[in-house]
Amino acid sequence: MQVTEAHLARIEAVDEKVHAFLHVDREGALAQARAVDAKRERGEKLGPLAGVPLALKDIFTTEGVPTTVGSKMLEGWIPPYDATVTQRLKAADVVILGKTNMDEFAMGSSTENSAYGPTGNPWDLTKIPGGSGGGSSAALASFQAPLAIGTDTGGSIRQPAAVTGTVGVKPTYGAVSRYGMVAFSSSLDQGGPCARTVLDAALLHEVIAGHDPMDSTSIDEPVPAVVEAARNGSVEGMRVGVVKQFRGEGYQAGVIQRFDESVALLKELGAEIVELDCPSFDLALSAYYLIAPSECSSNLARFDGLRYGLRVGDDGTHSAEEVTSLTREAGFGPEVKRRIMLGTYALSSGYYDAYYGSAQKVRTLIKQDFDKAFEQVDVIVSPTTPTTAFAIGERADDPMAMYLADLCTIPTNLAGNAAMSLPCGLAPEDNLPVGLQIIAPVMKDDRLYKVGAAVEAAFVEKWGHPLIEEAPSL
């Protein structure tokens, strides 16, 4: 109870500045905490995360608690059921503090596309906290929650983790259920854990992962031993790949500097560094921004103003088609409209093969490049993002510049592999966090934690943990 009360007090003290949360479920959190204390008093068995507070991205349905997906389209909607991830958190006695801010329908790289206003980066409140899961990452970095849940369609867990100095993991596609997670791009979306340490992320990963018959894309295989890997981190004898396509023009000097230091550290810890050439990765951004909008245009067709959520113009003077049009005009923001239009065009008659079909062929080539790479190495490392956090508003009028924030993360989503971002220091030119990305083959998520834990321990010994020791006060 005291832990929950302390975090609720922290939220009350700082979230007006940060705006990490869209809804704080104070009464629900306190009730969950009391239930955990009662179990403990009765001597009942508790899980490793029992009573630990958590911030939940506002894309997962939560019974009795508003779920808006950062959009006016679902403002005030209270789901009648829990997502599988929500169910598993509750079953593990995790205390859900509330729902975090995000880019509308998870479409964005900065949390500026939220219909409820942007979130600030606790390192510098004038900077973005990443996106689409900036609320979850900011909640961690501002110490409003020790754990959080995000979703990753093109980097929306890893990119926020990188720019806020936290740990974020995109599990293998299908390893964490998507049931009850509002869909953006169904073949890419993946929920995952966010935390301040690799071990904390592993403990949360183990809670939410596993087969779910309610999700047709769920993998019916045992969850990899991620906690054991995080507790026994080592890279001794491992082959670590460095892809030449993940550096060059557009990369900030301080990001490359910290990445090169991380590679040198891996070698020092006993890893063999292998240079890799994955030519199809250069096409990943283009392929992603055809596949994701195409799937989004299909998924968001259900928001028609007739079944649930916002309804505009239903005054008896408009047809059903006009009500749908008026509702979508009022309910969707500019980025969502942009992607729906792009996706609808790419799927239209005469253009399907030229655009969507070609993008899917590129996706196959990217997967083949990963397959070839993983014949030579155990994991791949790269910068998580080309730059540190940029200023709020800096890229608002330049969608292409915004999309480039996901340059390093998108190939993994297209292939379905597992990936992690963890802090690897601060860029010297702006003193903002830099993320190291680790990529593992499908269902080898434990390798992320084995490498991540070893690197994290070495960072702490050499330079100190960049978040815990140097995070700014609010």
Side-chain angles (χ1 to χ4, degrees), residues 174 210-212 217-222 443:
H211 180 245
D212 178 18
T217 62
S218 179
I219 298 175
D220 191 4
E221 288 186 24
M443 291 308 288

Side-chain angles (χ1 to χ4, degrees), residues 99-445:
K99 312 297 285 294
T100 56
N101 198 15
M102 57 181 287
D103 285 300
E104 184 181 7
F105 283 96
M107 298 181 198
S109 304
S110 64
T111 313
E112 292 173 279
N113 293 327
S114 169
Y116 306 99
T119 296
N121 188 325
W123 286 83
D124 179 344
L125 292 173
T126 69
K127 306 288 187 181
I128 60 99
S132 62
S136 288
S137 65
L140 294 172
S142 57
F143 293 86
Q144 297 183 68
L147 298 174
I149 296 288
T151 62
D152 196 307
T153 303
S156 293
I157 288 174
R158 290 162 288 156
Q159 186 249 9
V163 300
T164 59
T166 56
V167 177
V169 179
K170 186 206 87 69
T172 295
Y173 177 79
V176 174
S177 174
R178 292 188 300 111
Y179 177 74
M181 186 177 94
V182 180
F184 160 21
S185 179
S186 300
S187 74
L188 300 166
D189 298 340
Q190 185 58 67
C194 311
R196 289 197 289 264
T197 70
V198 171
L199 178 57
D200 285 354
L203 290 164
L204 183 54
H205 187 139
E206 202 164 77
V207 164
I208 62 174
H211 180 245
D212 178 18
M214 299 295 286
D215 177 3
S216 63
T217 62
S218 179
I219 298 175
D220 191 4
E221 288 186 24
V223 179
V226 294
V227 173
E228 181 185 345
R231 286 181 169 145
N232 298 283
S234 172
V235 297
E236 184 70 40
M238 292 185 76
R239 297 165 301 165
V240 175
V242 176
V243 179
K244 77 174 188 179
Q245 282 76 16
F246 284 149
R247 64 189 302 142
E249 187 180 346
Y251 284 77
Q252 187 175 320
V255 169
I256 294 298
Q257 180 182 334
R258 292 296 179 238
F259 173 66
D260 288 343
E261 290 171 356
S262 300
V263 172
L265 179 62
L266 285 163
K267 190 172 183 180
E268 189 180 311
L269 293 173
E272 177 191 350
I273 307 302
V274 180
E275 296 287 336
L276 298 171
D277 184 12
C278 299
S280 297
F281 286 11
D282 286 336
L283 305 172
L285 197 68
S286 300
Y288 174 88
Y289 279 103
L290 284 168
I291 293 169
S294 295
E295 294 185 3
C296 122
S297 75
S298 176
N299 277 324
L300 269 60
R302 71 193 71 176
F303 298 99
D304 55 10
L306 304 178
R307 284 170 281 196
Y308 50 83
L310 183 70
R311 182 180 296 176
V312 176
D314 186 17
D315 57 4
T317 67
H318 296 99
S319 67
E321 289 81 5
E322 288 171 331
V323 169
T324 295
S325 179
L326 289 168
T327 299
R328 288 174 174 167
E329 171 60 29
F332 290 141
E335 183 61 26
V336 173
K337 290 174 183 173
R338 180 184 293 116
R339 297 196 193 196
I340 288 173
M341 289 189 290
L342 177 60
T344 302
Y345 179 81
L347 292 175
S348 62
S349 177
Y351 295 101
Y352 180 95
D353 288 333
Y355 293 109
Y356 184 74
S358 296
Q360 290 288 18
K361 291 175 183 176
V362 170
R363 185 178 194 170
T364 299
L365 294 174
I366 290 167
K367 187 178 183 306
Q368 289 172 350
D369 273 358
F370 269 120
D371 290 343
K372 290 174 186 174
F374 286 125
E375 290 174 3
Q376 304 173 60
V377 299
D378 300 300
V379 296
I380 293 169
V381 295
S382 77
T384 307
T385 58
T387 69
T388 55
F390 48 88
I392 293 173
E394 181 181 315
R395 302 184 185 181
D397 297 324
D398 189 349
M400 279 308 300
M402 187 75 77
Y403 297 163
L404 289 170
D406 300 328
L407 198 63
C408 303
T409 52
I410 278 173
T412 302
N413 295 86
L414 291 168
N417 298 330
M420 167 191 287
S421 178
L422 74 158
C424 64
L426 304 175
E429 59 265 49
D430 55 21
N431 215 38
L432 291 173
V434 176
L436 171 68
Q437 180 175 223
I438 307 166
I439 305 171
V442 168
M443 291 308 288
K444 300 296 182 185
D445 303 44

